Amino acid sequence: MAATTSAMLLPSFVQEQPRRDEQLQQPRQNDDEQLETIKYGDVFNVSGDLAANPIAPEDARMMASAETRVLGQMHEAGPADVMRAAAAHNVQVGVLSSRDISDVAKNQGINISETDVPGARVVSECVAGQYLDTTTASGVEMPEQDVITIGQALEAACQIIGNKPVEQSDAAAIHAAEVCATGNNAMNPGGLGATAQAAAIFNAAMDRDEDKIKLNYVLTGATEKLATDKVVSRQDVEGVVSAELRNNPSMTTHPGGVAASISAAARLNEGNTERVVSADLRNNPNLTTHPDGLAASITATAGLNEDGAGI
């Protein structure tokens, strides 16, 4: 049974701090300063208002505090580390002061969730509801288990946010994941995508969350519900994340959701040729690896490295 830990932080001084006349979201008029400012969109794959916000010192402190609370320490080269360096630069060039905080972090907070998936413990880190990074929690031994398949990644999402009502963005991401696993673009009647789509349509007509169909109804036992399964690859991430973003009015992915879980699985799968190829073969009835899958990609990379033309 997967264990999940989360931390949601809002700045302690929000109620005490007077509202600034000059909002951080508004770009400075000086062109040189605009070029020098490091924004969230410069270092993370985020969109909307968050992407345009300069990374502020208090944002970095909040993320570092959340990482320490969940992981026991700040993760080296993780989001907090990157944010701290960016914020220090923004203060150094005079764009921000040492106590500045971005509106998105102040109003929507910072969230970190930790969960066990097959083979690892992963940490999802978000600002204003947008996924920044998923990393293996430090100090966690990696047992020799199979790499993560799409079905397992969907089940991990179920464990993290199973009580969330199914929305259109969830249904689109689930269908995209099913397409990646089966290679069939058509909606499979009775499949995960069709079930999720029906749930999203039903929920749109319901006013109360308690009356809505939850993700755990759709994703429980996802591996068995898929016609075929495959190891999660970076190509799968692109399709699933894009589907979830396109179908969310706020253009964000849900922390710990389908896109985040698929992204985490792909990251953990990278760099393990032998287990990836073995898992791809076991999960394909034809006993072949997927031509565009992670096994093929890693095998090709390994071949280039052996020939001295490494990437």
Side-chain angles (χ1 to χ4, degrees), residues 170-274:
D170 303 314
I174 291 169
H175 176 57
E178 184 178 37
V179 169
C180 292
T182 63
N184 183 4
N185 288 318
M187 186 76 75
N188 179 27
L192 285 176
T195 303
Q197 183 62 40
I201 293 172
F202 175 86
N203 288 348
M206 298 292 107
D207 293 327
R208 302 187 308 167
D209 280 355
E210 52 264 42
D211 296 329
K212 296 179 179 180
I213 300 171
K214 309 301 191 294
L215 277 169
N216 55 19
Y217 172 80
V218 178
L219 294 180
T220 297
T223 300
E224 287 73 27
K225 293 176 181 178
L226 288 170
T228 59
D229 204 357
K230 69 180 282 289
V231 175
V232 181
S233 72
R234 276 292 165 191
Q235 289 84 354
D236 302 327
V237 174
E238 294 173 7
V240 174
V241 170
S242 176
E244 190 166 321
L245 286 172
R246 286 197 314 271
N247 289 274
N248 189 335
S250 63
M251 286 296 291
T252 62
T253 58
H254 194 283
V258 174
S261 293
I262 293 290
S263 299
R267 184 184 294 266
L268 292 169
N269 285 345
E270 287 179 343
N272 197 327
T273 309
E274 199 170 304

Side-chain angles (χ1 to χ4, degrees), residues 180-181 183 230 280 284 288-297:
C180 292
K230 69 180 282 289
D280 245 6
N284 190 327
T288 60
T289 59
H290 193 283
D292 298 320
L294 186 61
S297 175

